Amino acid sequence: MSPELEVQLIAVIVATACALPGAFLVLRRMAMLSDAISHTVLLGIVLAYFISGTLGSPLLFVGAAAMGVITVALVELVGGSGLVREDAAIGIVFPALFSIAVILISRYAGNVHLDVDSVLLGELIFAPFDRVMLWGLDVPRALLIGTSTLAINLALIGLFYKELKLTSFDPGLAAALGFAPTLVHYGLMTMVSVTAVGAFDAVGSILVIALMVAPPAAAYLLTDRLPVMLLLSVLIGAASAIAGYRVAHWLDVSVGGAMATMTGVAFGLALLFAPGRGLVAGAARRQRQRWEFAQQMLTLHLLNHEGAAEASEECSLRHLSSDLRWRADFAEEVVRRAERGGLVRRAGPALTLTERGRQMAREASLR
């Protein structure tokens, strides 16, 4: 396999691994915790390095994952005090822990390959050059770690799907049914930490955040069903990764930056054109409701004056402008739409209700 294909395969695997726990973060409105975790794991790596004395120790992975869980606990401790909101708690805890890591690296590990820029931005393009032997196969280390992380996430979500679903939508009901939502919550945060640690060595924490938040947020706009949301999150994440690689190759720019940009583009398209929830659909719905409400007002006005002595004067197009304070062109368009809908009939200047229009007016008056 060529290095170009390996880079894209690694990106797709990492995007898929990030999208799965990210969907539950978005549902729980905890997306920014991924931002905090993906940065503070650096402190876990630094502390584990000081203990083990080597960058190749598995203790670094354990330390980073543990620091992610500690981050969540600290955020909930500060936010649970009631003195600050959760978003402020994240803003307090994550910079503090990340800054400690940066200071420790600058002071005690300046000659060690713990580059802060690499942690933030990653260097996906070099991932194929760091290789390991697995059962006689020469594979990129990032591909092996990403595949393992994805397998763990799939297994955990498959085993605890019911618990994750119930605690995400109704933690109170989950507690009443004995599902231990706190335990499930910290299990999910551990999954997020392990995913962030496994991914950011290749793609950097910024792309980890983008892949963990933007595809699930876009999928959330497209569906109300959790299984479909998980599938769409994976597809959007994978498509963004491949599109980002192509854009980076075309423009000769950072691969990670282009992929993160594509996740933003995907979310922007969903925000604009999602059926039902998108901005375009919302604007069309408001416009349709405006005309429907105006036609209801028209039928109510005609019903109110129907059979009265002044009906010939009040039930005419020119009086709509004065009685309902409509512009002449707006009143003409409302009457035209009401005629097309079979609500009114026009005979010269006079307007009369059809039976259907009369029924609409009666139903509207009862609301």
Side-chain angles (χ1 to χ4, degrees):
M1 185 182 298
S2 68
E4 290 81 7
L5 284 178
E6 288 182 341
V7 168
Q8 294 176 72
L9 182 58
I10 292 169
V12 169
I13 294 292
V14 169
T16 304
C18 288
L20 293 174
F24 292 99
L25 287 179
V26 169
L27 286 176
R28 292 167 180 246
R29 301 185 178 183
M30 295 179 171
M32 288 312 296
L33 271 179
S34 65
D35 186 10
I37 291 173
S38 61
H39 283 79
T40 57
V41 292
L42 180 62
L43 180 57
I45 292 174
V46 173
L47 295 177
Y49 167 74
F50 289 155
I51 295 172
S52 65
T54 174
L55 288 174
S57 171
L59 192 60
L60 271 66
F61 190 87
V62 176
M67 186 53 66
V69 178
I70 291 171
T71 301
V72 175
L74 288 175
V75 168
E76 293 189 348
L77 180 65
V78 176
S81 67
L83 301 176
V84 295
R85 296 171 63 89
E86 184 174 328
D87 56 344
I90 294 174
I92 293 168
V93 172
F94 131 57
L97 297 182
F98 184 68
S99 301
I100 293 172
V102 173
I103 291 171
L104 290 176
I105 292 173
S106 304
R107 183 69 179 84
Y108 301 108
N111 58 343
V112 179
H113 181 57
L114 278 173
D115 187 355
V116 176
D117 289 339
S118 296
V119 171
L120 288 174
L121 305 175
E123 200 47 80
L124 185 58
I125 203 72
F126 293 140
F129 298 104
D130 183 11
R131 310 185 77 85
V132 294
M133 293 299 295
L134 178 68
W135 299 321
L137 295 175
D138 183 22
V139 296
R141 184 187 301 274
L143 181 60
L144 177 61
I145 294 174
T147 305
S148 302
T149 306
L150 174 59
I152 291 171
N153 288 351
L154 285 172
L156 289 175
I157 291 174
L159 286 172
F160 301 105
Y161 176 78
K162 182 171 59 178
E163 288 82 357
L164 286 167
K165 180 179 180 180
L166 188 55
T167 56
S168 296
F169 288 105
D170 196 338
L173 177 61
L177 295 175
F179 277 92
T182 303
L183 184 62
V184 176
H185 171 68
Y186 277 97
L188 174 63
M189 292 304 126
T190 304
M191 191 197 311
V192 172
S193 298
V194 170
T195 304
V197 175
F200 88 158
D201 184 42
V203 302
S205 61
I206 300 298
L207 186 53
V208 168
I209 299 165
L211 293 172
M212 204 170 276
V213 176
Y220 180 72
L221 296 173
L222 297 171
T223 181
D224 290 325
R225 298 184 58 210
L226 181 55
V228 179
M229 179 180 172
L230 289 170
L231 177 61
L232 288 175
S233 299
V234 168
L235 293 176
I236 293 171
S240 299
I242 295 174
Y245 180 84
R246 298 294 178 188
V247 170
H249 182 72
W250 177 45
L251 298 177
D252 191 21
V253 295
S254 163
V255 173
M259 289 180 179
T261 302
M262 287 299 105
T263 62
V265 170
F267 175 76
L269 291 174
L271 182 66
L272 283 174
F273 302 112
R277 293 180 178 169
L279 295 179
V280 173
R285 183 173 58 251
R286 286 191 294 275
Q287 187 70 5
R288 185 176 64 252
Q289 290 172 342
R290 176 173 177 248
W291 289 117
E292 289 174 355
F293 180 73
Q295 290 176 71
Q296 281 187 0
M297 289 291 296
L298 173 63
T299 58
L300 281 169
H301 175 81
L302 296 179
L303 183 65
N304 188 44
H305 294 285
E306 193 173 48
E310 71 279 7
S312 60
E313 182 68 19
E314 294 290 343
C315 298
S316 64
L317 181 59
R318 90 186 148 80
H319 262 261
L320 295 179
S321 300
S322 57
D323 288 2
L324 299 179
R325 299 185 179 180
W326 287 349
R327 295 193 321 269
D329 57 339
F330 181 78
E332 175 64 33
E333 180 62 25
V334 172
V335 170
R336 190 179 299 125
R337 287 172 182 261
E339 281 185 288
R340 282 204 300 267
L343 301 175
V344 301
R345 280 190 292 268
R346 184 172 3 199
L351 301 172
T352 56
L353 284 172
T354 64
E355 189 54 39
R356 185 178 178 185
R358 206 169 283 114
Q359 181 66 26
M360 172 188 273
R362 291 195 185 106
E363 290 175 357
S365 64
L366 294 176
R367 291 174 188 167

